[in-house]
Amino acid sequence: MAPKTVPTAPHKAGSKAVRVVIATPLASPPDPFLYLKQSLKRDKNQVILAVLQRPLFASAMISICRTARAFPGSGGDRARFLGTTQLRFADQADFEHLVDQQGLVDALTTTLPTLDRRVAEDAPDVKAFFSFADALVQIETNRRELQRKHELKKRHRQQEDTNIPMT
């Protein structure tokens, strides 16, 4: 962003105006880890008790997943980076609602194949991330399967209704 110039009034009649340059701060990019922190309620051991702002949480996690996918390092490096989110939940009560956050499951689904799961064997925070991501992806998969079954039953009933013989 270019600095702003502000004209000032001349000091004497006939003299030229002096321009003062005011530097404006550059806008820094949003910090997804700050958003993550603001969206969660944690206990003294950093265990997540509740997601206070689901859209903010989802936005932060989507951004963090994008950053991890852009890492030039190995799948293990990406997994360790995602482990820094410390997604250790006290329970999975919020998971059903988190699946509804637009783009979150897609971000996790596209990120998981780029990670090395072996890193989780000796890194509890990485293991916690995988547990979180796998749970959300599984919930979404189960929902889609239930929807598919519901649609099949609906079509089957419609076919039965059209195949009733007229007497």
Side-chain angles (χ1 to χ4, degrees):
M1 177 179 276
K4 294 180 184 177
T5 59
V6 180
T8 60
H11 294 282
K12 296 180 181 177
S15 68
K16 293 185 177 182
V18 178
R19 293 203 178 264
V20 178
V21 176
I22 301 172
T24 56
L26 297 175
S28 60
D31 179 3
F33 285 94
L34 177 63
Y35 289 166
L36 188 65
K37 181 181 177 182
Q38 291 173 342
S39 68
L40 298 172
K41 179 179 182 180
R42 296 181 186 253
D43 69 7
K44 64 181 179 178
N45 297 319
Q46 295 304 308
V47 174
I48 298 168
L49 302 174
V51 177
L52 302 174
Q53 299 176 22
R54 292 183 196 114
L56 186 61
F57 174 84
S59 176
M61 285 307 302
I62 291 167
S63 180
I64 291 168
C65 285
R66 285 182 185 148
T67 303
R69 287 193 312 268
F71 260 34
S74 68
D77 294 336
R78 290 183 200 101
R80 283 185 205 87
F81 172 72
L82 290 166
T84 63
T85 57
Q86 297 181 329
L87 295 179
R88 289 177 278 133
F89 284 83
D91 59 45
Q92 295 185 358
D94 286 319
F95 285 17
E96 282 285 331
H97 302 291
L98 290 175
V99 171
D100 295 332
Q101 298 303 307
Q102 184 175 0
L104 179 57
V105 175
D106 291 337
L108 294 170
T109 302
T110 56
T111 303
L112 286 172
T114 69
L115 307 177
D116 183 356
R117 288 183 176 268
R118 293 174 293 183
V119 175
E121 293 171 5
D122 61 345
D125 286 337
V126 176
K127 186 175 184 175
F129 173 80
F130 278 120
S131 296
F132 163 77
D134 290 340
L136 262 61
V137 169
Q138 188 61 51
I139 290 169
E140 179 65 16
T141 301
N142 292 348
R143 283 183 176 181
R144 288 181 181 169
E145 181 63 20
L146 282 172
Q147 181 66 30
R148 187 186 67 77
K149 287 180 180 179
H150 177 74
E151 292 294 324
L152 284 173
K153 283 182 183 179
K154 187 176 174 181
R155 280 191 223 137
H156 183 70
R157 280 190 214 118
Q158 287 174 345
Q159 284 179 346
E160 285 179 347
D161 290 346
T162 57
N163 292 335
I164 297 176
M166 301 286 278
T167 55

